[in-house]
Amino acid sequence: MLKFVGRRTLYMVPTLLAISVVIFVVINLPPGDYVTSLVAELRGQGQVVSMERERGLRELYGLNRPLWEQYVAWVSDLLRGDLGRSFDLQQPVAEVIRERLPITVALAGVTLLFTWIVAFPIGVYAAVKQYSIGDYLATTFGFLGLAIPNFLLALLLMTVSVQYFGYVPEGLCSPEYCDASWNLGKVLDALKHWWLPVIVIGTAGTAGLIRILRANLLDELRKPYVVAARARGVPKRRLVARYPLRVAMNPFVSTVGWVLPLLLAGDVIVAQILSLPTLGRVFLTSLQQQDMYLAGSILMIYSLLTVIGTMISDLLLAWLDPRVRLGYQ
Amino acid sequence: MSEGTPTTTEHSASQARLVWWNFRKHKLAVTGAVVTVAFFLIAIFAEFLAPFSPGRVNEEYTYAPPQIPRIVDTSGESWDWGLHVYGYSAEQDPETLRVTYTTDETQKIPLQFFAKGEEYKLFGLIPWDRHLIGPANPDDPMYLLGSDGTGRDQLSRLMHATRISMTVGLVGVALAFLLGVTLGGISGYFGGRVDTFIQRFIEFVMSIPTLPLWLGLTAAIPVTVGPVKRYFLISVILAIIAWTTLAREVRGRFLALRNEDYVTSAWLDGSSRRRVMFRHMLPSTTSHLIAALTLSIPGVILAETALSWLGLGLQAPVVSWGVLLIDAQSVRVISHAPWLLLPGLAVVIAVLALNFVGDGLRDAADPYRS
Amino acid sequence: MTESDALLEVNGLKTHFFTPDGVVRAVDGVDLTVPRARTVCIVGESGCGKSITSRSILRLIDPPGRIVDGEIVWRGGQQSGRTPGDGAAVDLVSLDPDGERIRRIRGNEISMIFQEPMASLSPMYTVGAQMIETIRLHRSMSKDEAREHATAMLARVGIPQPERRIDAYSFQLSGGMSQRVMIAMALACQPDLLIADEPTTALDVTTQARILDLIRELQADTHMSVLFITHDLGVVAELADDVVVMYLGTVVETGSVDDVFHDPKHPYTRALLRSIPTMGRGTRERLPSIRGMVPHPSQRPPGCPYHPRCDEAIAGRCDQEDPPVVALGPRRTARCVLYDPSGGPPGPSPASAGASGTAEAGMEDTP
Ligand SMILES: Nc1ncnc2c1ncn2[C@@H]1O[C@H](COP(=O)(O)OP(=O)(O)O)[C@@H](O)[C@H]1O
Ligand code: SF4
Ligand SMILES: [Mg+2]
């Protein structure tokens, strides 16, 4: 097991390196560079920037060096934690990320939990009671959940919230509670704000998970070992819980790997509508303003989270499934 | 338990019939197919089906609510037959100065099939000026699905958006298909080290968070790029992610097929490798591929919608469902003019329909699995 | 045979599947008896309802399948160590398939082993964990006692290094080893009846022979009964005391192994026997196979289900009326109009048909 963990961790390094190359390419795709936009920004503010000064700036930022040297410089900056400066927020990117990463991860975590808690019983029920009304409802939800764009869902829920609860849950807390220490009021306030983003971001993942869990469990329930266990007198409830569910759990564990990017993507969109203090909004703004270095850094953070998520799910999978652990699959 | 069922792979012609027979049994899938075909018909004949051009503004009728077409007018002494809608009367809020329109039953706007209206070129070639339906007097307001903030007809815009959104899906998936079939086919056909390499590559592409990467790539498109080029660039970007699933599907099929008897026997007969690949392996994977293809279109449509809505995908004056939904950004607008969410409904219906078709196809292609 | 000799008695069992494409009469009137301490083989082509019959006995049929008629009388469970009150005859069809009573019969009084031994073990738990679970379901033992018992059982079925193998996973074992594990698990609670559904079909020939030897040896040692299902007449000859021949969900002939092999009555049995490869015949020569194909049970022909393929079918009779089950002696039946004592339209006389059958089969059975 230890060896497995070691191998899996080492495997992250080349993946992340390869991703960084892709991201660096993306950063350099648009015509013009950081200095072009910087100069445009300065000129926009009415400053006079000479060609000389522009060239000087380029030298200062190393933008006149060959691409691969720039790449190395960028990566080593990243490794040192120097992620550049955000135009929009007028502060270092590292600081922006440090401020926003915890809440982003917290939102993703809560949503993941929500996804599990909802999808698990529904998926199991739908499979065990195949073709029941509950199964049809679950299947319908599974289809709808994947078909609704999440910004649309956000808009709909916001409209509903305004109509029936009389408020738009913008942000993740009301100003009076944001810096307060935890008490009942703050918990209630959090509930008031978190339900919407959690539902919106989590719906697609929940729907996908229900479908996967149902299909897997149905597959497993048909396997000979289930009949064999029943023929040995294992009671039905225990039979489902112990035998096929253990295998059908695999996609659940794998979700950490594939739901995480989904959640982060959801965050990009929902953060915009609900003005959440998460990374998503910064990312979007940076893209809209073609602030590619900032966007690239955030993209790198997203990738890092995803790769870590995948690793965690692989490790959990190995821990759960002896076939993976012992290298038989 | 399926010992008694036949498992021989038939010739591709009869297999197609078998798949079709099985497909017809899935009611949901058939419904999905009908809806999908309808969407594509709208896409093809958008100019004719739409009463107006998508860009026609009319400042006099902003946020006009949908009208209900009526056949008989019972307001007068005698019943008056003839297709018509009611006109609008405007009311201005003295404080906010906002104008609201309500349907006015005293005004009657007669409608016509094959009404004369704006000129257009059908299929971009044939000049014509007839529209399936329109007001008898081209200047009368007709907003069957309401209008937007500049008085553009929602129905016409929706139809033109259908063209863009559905074809972005198709073009994107077609590109993804090329990539996927090539790499997946190579991977599955040769196996061994080539396979391992391509699999690693696919795993790597999949490990990059999809939407953020899409966003990053679209943001990298220079702002100065024209609408047509932008359309194709977006399709390419969407294809970049969609191909991985297709490639995996193709590879899996090929791996399974490699072990089938008739491929081996074709080999023993001395057929060339390429011949084996194209004569025997491809036809029998076709139905699975079509299923996989169909199932990957919804993802592309959803992605395009999200990208455009965020302002990073397609941009006005091109209309797509996502572009249309930009008008529905705030709760205030939505509660004032809920019909602006209709493009969202179109997205949901299209995605559901394609999913049903794809699922039905997959089940039909695998009749012995369930 | 006296009443108490019969450990299991199946009478008129019908198990049908109600599928969207119509009713599949997988088992359609099966009668059979398993006497104590004997081995009964059910033989028949693939798809004739052998597995469904055996699963019906343990009430393992899931929707859309259902037992629609018949009774399954069980007279087992009299040994010590079982709950008092057990042991009286019970009709398994009357039990709730998810209930406590049938659950205590499964794996305890009646055990079952299957065709795919590796797939019959969960890949998520060790062999030992699954054995211990089964033992503790039916016996009040501590985990350690159960583990000890499981190890002893593994040793008993000839698994080398049982102390180590008990912690192996199914995917680490060969097919033969897995089947031995399944047998050990099946016998752990000393059942009265072992149902073996083609347990050697998926194994190679050598392993197959070893497993058959093992089953025979264990049967002799424990005096349990065995209901062995196979489509291989060679296996039947080696193992059976009694034979039950099935065709399309019905029993067409029963009898002791000697009677059935040397004096087959039913035309189907005779055809089956003709198609066994024997040493005398060259292996290259094509075996005479039964003409036509087994129809799917949803398209079962009217009258005698075998009539479209039967060389001796009597037009106007076999294709219209159900043939009667004719008792030809103690524990010997055939379901065919040729032996119907009540006569009917003239056909080859039972005696002559029987005689010719004897000669034929006798020749074929001689190596
Ligand atoms: N779940 C099911 N649904 C419909 N038909 C079934 C089902 N299970 C088995 N059958 C049918 O019942 C018949 C008997 O099956 P089975 O008992 O498995 O045959 P075998 O004699 O080979 O063991 C087969 O023809 C099969 O098609
Ligand atoms: S009943 Fe008739 S068809 Fe059936 S086996 Fe006997 S002779 Fe043949
Ligand atoms: Mg069977």
Side-chain angles (χ1 to χ4, degrees):
Chain A
M1 192 69 194
L2 250 166
K3 229 167 96 188
F4 186 90
V5 176
R7 198 150 37 93
R8 201 53 198 72
T9 317
L10 267 181
Y11 183 68
M12 278 172 60
V13 177
T15 312
L16 281 173
L17 268 179
I19 291 180
S20 72
V21 173
V22 172
I23 292 176
F24 187 73
V25 170
V26 172
I27 290 176
N28 282 288
L29 272 183
D33 52 33
Y34 180 71
V35 170
T36 319
S37 25
L38 185 68
V39 168
E41 176 99 7
L42 292 176
R43 288 198 179 125
Q45 289 166 1
Q47 295 188 33
V48 185
V49 186
S50 67
M51 297 296 274
E52 284 292 292
R53 178 122 166 71
E54 199 176 328
R55 201 169 316 122
L57 275 172
R58 234 174 225 122
E59 221 150 277
L60 183 68
Y61 286 109
L63 291 172
N64 52 351
R65 283 185 289 165
L67 263 187
W68 70 268
E69 267 182 41
Q70 290 186 41
Y71 169 75
V72 172
W74 179 66
V75 169
S76 40
D77 277 353
L78 279 185
L79 286 178
R80 270 187 280 110
D82 177 4
L83 303 176
R85 217 183 140 76
S86 160
F87 282 132
D88 184 41
L89 298 160
Q90 294 295 334
Q91 53 177 333
V93 174
E95 211 167 278
V96 177
I97 290 176
R98 206 173 304 122
E99 264 171 29
R100 295 184 173 229
L101 192 59
I103 196 79
T104 309
V105 172
L107 185 59
V110 170
T111 311
L112 188 65
L113 218 61
F114 164 83
T115 307
W116 274 348
I117 291 172
V118 176
F120 190 75
I122 296 182
V124 173
Y125 180 88
V128 174
K129 299 259 153 106
Q130 199 189 2
Y131 302 132
S132 66
I133 294 178
D135 179 26
Y136 282 117
L137 283 178
T139 312
T140 311
F141 173 76
F143 272 116
L144 272 180
L146 285 176
I148 292 190
N150 45 16
F151 68 86
L152 194 64
L153 189 64
L155 289 172
L156 286 175
L157 286 179
M158 279 164 79
T159 314
V160 168
S161 178
V162 170
Q163 296 263 329
Y164 296 96
F165 311 132
Y167 72 98
V168 181
E170 289 208 331
L172 286 174
C173 51
S174 311
E176 67 268 30
Y177 284 113
C178 280
D179 293 322
S181 57
W182 283 98
N183 57 31
L184 187 66
K186 182 159 174 164
V187 171
L188 288 180
D189 181 66
L191 283 180
K192 248 176 97 170
H193 285 91
W194 283 61
W195 68 270
L196 207 153
V198 166
I199 291 179
V200 170
I201 301 175
T203 297
T206 310
L209 209 50
I210 289 177
R211 275 171 74 169
I212 294 181
L213 186 63
R214 177 178 177 276
N216 271 31
L217 194 50
L218 279 176
D219 261 7
E220 288 301 320
L221 282 171
R222 276 195 277 264
K223 293 256 171 89
Y225 69 83
V226 178
V227 184
R230 195 136 64 100
R232 292 199 296 270
V234 178
K236 196 149 191 179
R237 222 162 232 283
R238 171 140 160 209
L239 185 71
V240 175
R242 246 174 92 81
Y243 287 80
L245 208 52
R246 268 292 296 270
V247 182
M249 276 293 286
N250 286 359
F252 250 79
V253 170
S254 322
T255 46
V256 189
W258 67 259
V259 164
L260 203 67
L262 209 64
L263 301 183
L264 295 174
D267 175 45
V268 174
I269 288 167
V270 176
Q272 160 84 350
I273 310 176
L274 296 174
S275 21
L276 303 183
T278 52
L279 268 184
R281 234 176 75 169
V282 186
F283 182 55
L284 195 66
T285 331
S286 69
L287 289 175
Q288 281 160 344
Q289 302 177 343
Q290 270 199 4
D291 185 352
M292 295 310 279
Y293 271 87
L294 176 53
S297 306
I298 299 180
L299 204 48
M300 204 58 221
I301 300 278
Y302 280 157
S303 306
L304 183 69
L305 288 179
T306 311
V307 169
I308 291 176
T310 316
M311 188 188 74
I312 293 176
S313 73
D314 279 2
L315 292 182
L316 281 175
L317 208 59
W319 175 63
L320 256 182
D321 191 334
R323 285 170 300 181
V324 179
R325 181 170 65 237
L326 299 172
Y328 277 80
Q329 206 183 42
Chain B
M1 257 181 253
S2 60
E3 294 159 39
T5 48
T7 46
T8 43
T9 317
E10 314 270 350
H11 288 293
S12 53
S14 57
Q15 177 157 350
R17 202 171 315 140
L18 195 72
V19 170
W20 170 236
W21 267 93
N22 276 306
F23 183 77
R24 279 208 325 208
K25 279 195 282 187
H26 296 258
K27 288 203 192 71
L28 222 48
V30 174
T31 316
V34 170
V35 172
T36 308
V37 169
F39 270 89
F40 277 116
L41 284 179
I42 292 176
I44 295 172
F45 296 104
E47 290 93 349
F48 166 68
L49 294 173
F52 308 103
S53 72
R56 195 183 90 144
V57 296
N58 190 342
E59 296 294 348
E60 276 177 59
Y61 298 100
T62 54
Y63 294 125
Q67 298 157 320
I68 301 161
R70 290 157 202 278
I71 310 175
V72 60
D73 179 11
T74 52
S75 60
E77 291 290 292
S78 61
W79 283 17
D80 200 358
W81 293 86
L83 194 63
H84 66 275
V85 289
Y86 294 133
Y88 294 103
S89 61
E91 233 172 78
Q92 191 166 27
D93 189 312
E95 274 173 46
T96 62
L97 297 182
R98 204 161 79 182
V99 186
T100 35
Y101 292 90
T102 45
T103 42
D104 178 0
E105 304 199 359
T106 58
Q107 293 179 44
K108 203 175 107 183
I109 298 171
L111 302 186
Q112 234 176 28
F113 283 109
F114 296 101
K116 207 168 149 79
E118 288 157 88
E119 285 183 16
Y120 57 89
K121 285 202 176 111
L122 196 60
F123 314 129
L125 292 173
I126 314 161
W128 210 19
D129 60 359
R130 299 284 161 172
H131 298 259
L132 179 64
I133 195 170
N137 172 2
D139 292 333
D140 278 345
M142 182 189 86
Y143 294 111
L144 297 180
L145 293 181
S147 75
D148 70 0
T150 50
R152 291 176 293 198
D153 177 37
Q154 183 77 353
L155 175 64
S156 305
R157 285 169 72 73
L158 204 50
M159 285 175 159
H160 282 91
T162 302
R163 166 179 293 169
I164 300 295
S165 291
M166 292 300 276
T167 53
V168 156
L170 265 194
V171 175
V173 168
L175 290 172
F177 180 71
L178 265 182
L179 254 173
V181 169
T182 314
L183 283 179
I186 292 174
S187 194
Y189 186 80
F190 291 102
R193 222 180 269 178
V194 180
D195 179 41
T196 316
F197 177 77
I198 294 180
Q199 286 314 302
R200 284 283 164 286
F201 181 62
I202 290 179
E203 268 167 35
F204 162 68
V205 176
M206 284 181 142
S207 73
I208 307 176
T210 317
L211 194 107
L213 181 67
W214 265 332
L215 289 172
L217 284 170
T218 45
I221 300 177
V223 239
T224 48
V225 158
V228 177
K229 203 167 165 200
R230 189 173 187 90
Y231 172 91
F232 280 106
L233 283 175
I234 300 272
S235 305
V236 171
I237 290 170
L238 294 177
I240 286 178
I241 309 295
W243 72 272
T244 49
T245 350
L246 281 168
R248 286 198 156 178
E249 179 86 5
V250 176
R251 167 181 177 267
R253 289 275 114 205
F254 270 48
L255 279 185
L257 275 172
R258 260 154 64 97
N259 304 325
E260 296 242 350
D261 290 342
Y262 66 97
V263 176
T264 321
S265 61
W267 233 310
L268 294 178
D269 286 349
S271 311
S272 78
R273 287 195 146 207
R274 200 141 46 102
R275 215 180 117 83
V276 173
M277 194 146 158
F278 285 99
R279 286 295 296 274
H280 300 276
M281 287 165 90
L282 263 184
S284 60
T285 54
T286 312
S287 38
H288 281 97
L289 282 186
I290 296 176
L293 263 179
T294 316
L295 286 174
S296 55
I297 301 178
V300 175
I301 291 181
L302 282 173
E304 184 276 323
T305 309
L307 288 184
S308 300
W309 185 77
L310 289 172
L312 291 166
L314 298 169
Q315 279 164 1
V318 173
V319 280
S320 74
W321 291 330
V323 172
L324 288 190
L325 282 167
I326 294 178
D327 292 340
Q329 289 260 14
S330 76
V331 175
R332 202 174 47 79
V333 174
I334 293 170
S335 38
H336 182 55
W339 53 90
L340 289 182
L341 282 180
L342 280 172
L345 192 64
V347 175
V348 173
I349 293 175
V351 168
L352 280 180
L354 285 161
N355 267 321
F356 290 153
V357 175
D359 277 358
L361 273 174
R362 202 180 41 195
D363 287 356
D366 254 342
Y368 306 120
R369 229 186 106 239
S370 61
Chain C
M1 168 176 54
T2 59
E3 266 276 286
S4 61
D5 252 4
L7 179 65
L8 176 79
E9 224 178 292
V10 176
N11 295 319
L13 178 71
K14 292 188 179 182
T15 304
H16 295 177
F17 287 86
F18 300 87
T19 69
D21 300 327
V23 179
V24 179
R25 286 147 63 180
V27 173
D28 205 33
V30 160
D31 305 307
L32 64 89
T33 303
V34 182
R36 282 185 203 282
R38 290 178 76 109
T39 301
V40 175
C41 280
I42 302 183
V43 65
E45 284 163 289
S46 166
C48 69
K50 306 180 298 285
S51 298
I52 302 298
T53 305
S54 62
R55 281 171 197 214
S56 300
I57 295 172
L58 275 183
R59 303 300 311 280
L60 294 173
I61 303 294
D62 285 318
R66 207 171 72 220
I67 298 182
V68 292
D69 198 16
E71 55 171 11
I72 301 170
V73 181
W74 172 243
R75 293 200 185 79
Q78 284 152 335
Q79 293 175 33
S80 58
R82 302 220 161 106
T83 334
D86 293 2
V90 53
D91 179 7
L92 300 184
V93 175
S94 67
L95 299 181
D96 168 12
D98 291 328
E100 189 55 24
R101 182 74 182 87
I102 189 76
R103 202 187 63 63
R104 268 187 291 122
I105 291 176
R106 292 177 187 152
N108 185 22
E109 297 175 21
I110 307 177
S111 288
M112 190 157 172
I113 58 176
F114 298 88
Q115 184 168 350
E116 299 162 67
M118 277 156 106
S120 299
L121 287 163
S122 164
M124 306 300 277
Y125 300 94
T126 60
V127 160
Q130 294 175 68
M131 287 188 78
I132 291 167
E133 178 185 32
T134 311
I135 294 169
R136 280 165 48 89
L137 273 173
H138 301 296
R139 296 283 182 277
S140 48
M141 282 191 193
S142 72
K143 275 203 174 133
D144 288 341
E145 285 167 341
R147 188 180 165 93
E148 213 166 283
H149 181 50
T151 318
M153 285 311 297
L154 289 177
R156 179 75 193 77
V157 297
I159 288 182
Q161 295 180 300
E163 307 81 11
R164 255 190 47 196
R165 289 293 160 81
I166 196 171
D167 293 319
Y169 289 94
S170 62
F171 50 85
Q172 296 172 310
L173 300 175
S174 67
M177 278 299 158
S178 303
Q179 196 56 289
R180 280 176 198 264
V181 168
M182 288 306 289
I183 294 173
M185 196 166 354
L187 300 192
C189 298
Q190 292 131 324
D192 297 314
L193 174 65
L194 173 70
I195 301 178
D197 187 354
E198 310 216 21
T200 58
T201 308
L203 305 177
D204 64 76
V205 188
T206 339
T207 320
Q208 179 171 344
R210 290 209 189 114
I211 295 285
L212 289 180
D213 285 344
L214 176 67
I215 290 177
R216 203 168 30 209
E217 183 197 318
L218 289 168
Q219 197 255 341
D221 277 9
T222 59
H223 301 293
M224 65 177 173
S225 301
V226 175
L227 181 60
F228 196 98
I229 291 163
T230 179
H231 61 256
D232 182 347
L233 282 167
V235 172
V236 179
E238 209 174 309
L239 214 60
D241 295 313
D242 294 343
V243 181
V244 174
V245 184
M246 280 187 72
Y247 184 78
L248 264 189
T250 60
V251 172
V252 295
E253 181 162 359
T254 61
S256 73
V257 66
D258 287 341
D259 287 348
V260 172
F261 272 71
H262 294 288
D263 181 16
K265 297 292 191 194
H266 197 279
Y268 175 65
T269 318
R270 280 188 242 147
L272 265 188
L273 283 168
R274 265 200 303 278
S275 64
I276 341 177
T278 49
M279 301 293 247
R281 262 194 219 117
T283 36
R284 292 181 153 266
E285 196 183 323
R286 266 189 93 103
L287 293 169
S289 56
I290 308 178
R291 153 171 82 82
M293 295 240 304
V294 193
H296 191 261
S298 61
Q299 282 132 23
R300 144 202 277 276
C304 172
Y306 187 55
H307 86 258
R309 304 170 74 191
C310 180
D311 291 327
E312 285 152 85
I314 303 164
R317 187 147 183 227
C318 294
D319 52 357
Q320 277 165 22
E321 55 188 79
D322 271 358
V325 179
V326 185
L328 301 166
R331 307 190 354 227
R332 182 104 176 86
T333 62
R335 190 165 183 264
C336 172
V337 294
L338 298 179
Y339 307 97
D340 188 358
S342 70
S349 79
S352 71
S356 75
T358 318
E360 242 172 76
M363 269 165 58
E364 256 148 24
D365 206 39
T366 332

XYZ file of all heavy atoms in Angstrom, chain B residues 1 3, chain C residues 46-47 49-52 54-55 115 197-198 229, ligand 3:
106
model
N -26.955 -16.543 -17.730
C -28.328 -16.928 -17.973
C -28.693 -16.798 -19.440
O -29.806 -17.045 -19.833
C -29.273 -16.058 -17.151
C -29.809 -16.813 -15.925
S -30.931 -15.752 -15.044
C -29.927 -15.352 -13.645
N -27.292 -18.319 -21.978
C -26.682 -19.380 -22.774
C -27.442 -19.619 -24.068
O -26.863 -19.909 -25.100
C -26.708 -20.700 -21.999
C -25.846 -20.709 -20.762
C -26.316 -21.799 -19.827
O -26.676 -22.874 -20.319
O -26.326 -21.562 -18.609
N -28.606 -27.090 -23.276
C -28.591 -25.753 -22.713
C -29.923 -25.052 -22.989
O -30.463 -25.155 -24.089
C -27.435 -24.998 -23.345
O -27.567 -23.644 -23.082
N -30.476 -24.400 -21.983
C -31.721 -23.662 -22.169
C -32.974 -24.467 -21.889
O -34.080 -23.971 -22.063
N -34.009 -25.471 -19.010
C -34.618 -25.135 -17.735
C -33.998 -25.821 -16.530
O -34.583 -25.820 -15.448
N -32.795 -26.336 -16.690
C -32.155 -27.015 -15.563
C -31.824 -26.030 -14.444
O -32.152 -26.268 -13.275
C -30.849 -27.698 -16.033
C -31.038 -28.640 -17.221
C -29.744 -29.286 -17.640
C -28.665 -28.343 -18.110
N -28.840 -27.781 -19.448
N -31.193 -24.936 -14.831
C -30.808 -23.967 -13.799
C -32.023 -23.370 -13.129
O -32.035 -23.169 -11.905
C -29.974 -22.846 -14.408
O -28.798 -23.352 -14.955
N -33.027 -23.055 -13.912
C -34.222 -22.437 -13.324
C -34.888 -23.424 -12.362
O -35.367 -23.026 -11.298
C -35.198 -21.986 -14.424
C -34.511 -21.000 -15.368
C -36.447 -21.361 -13.833
C -34.032 -19.722 -14.724
N -33.320 -25.673 -10.553
C -32.541 -25.740 -9.313
C -32.695 -24.456 -8.509
O -32.760 -24.482 -7.287
C -31.075 -26.011 -9.633
O -30.550 -24.968 -10.404
N -32.781 -23.313 -9.204
C -32.965 -22.064 -8.467
C -34.346 -21.984 -7.852
O -34.519 -21.383 -6.790
C -32.747 -20.877 -9.392
C -31.274 -20.647 -9.575
C -30.958 -19.656 -10.620
N -29.559 -19.830 -10.982
C -28.776 -18.853 -11.331
N -29.247 -17.634 -11.387
N -27.522 -19.081 -11.617
N -21.807 -22.617 -11.886
C -20.995 -22.865 -13.067
C -19.691 -22.078 -13.072
O -18.658 -22.594 -13.447
C -21.829 -22.498 -14.294
C -21.137 -22.803 -15.590
C -22.114 -22.690 -16.753
O -23.306 -22.561 -16.562
N -21.600 -22.743 -17.942
N -24.875 -26.836 -9.974
C -25.365 -26.447 -11.299
C -24.190 -26.337 -12.266
O -23.505 -25.327 -12.303
C -26.117 -25.118 -11.183
C -26.789 -24.735 -12.493
O -26.580 -25.432 -13.504
O -27.521 -23.723 -12.499
N -23.961 -27.365 -13.022
C -22.857 -27.437 -13.977
C -21.536 -26.955 -13.368
O -20.879 -26.068 -13.925
C -23.186 -26.590 -15.222
C -24.552 -26.898 -15.777
C -24.607 -26.844 -17.295
O -23.541 -26.960 -17.920
O -25.705 -26.718 -17.835
N -26.385 -31.017 -11.897
C -26.954 -30.573 -13.171
C -25.855 -30.512 -14.210
O -24.766 -29.992 -13.946
C -27.597 -29.200 -12.987
C -28.836 -29.371 -12.116
C -27.973 -28.589 -14.320
C -29.320 -28.107 -11.547
Mg -27.797 -23.505 -16.732
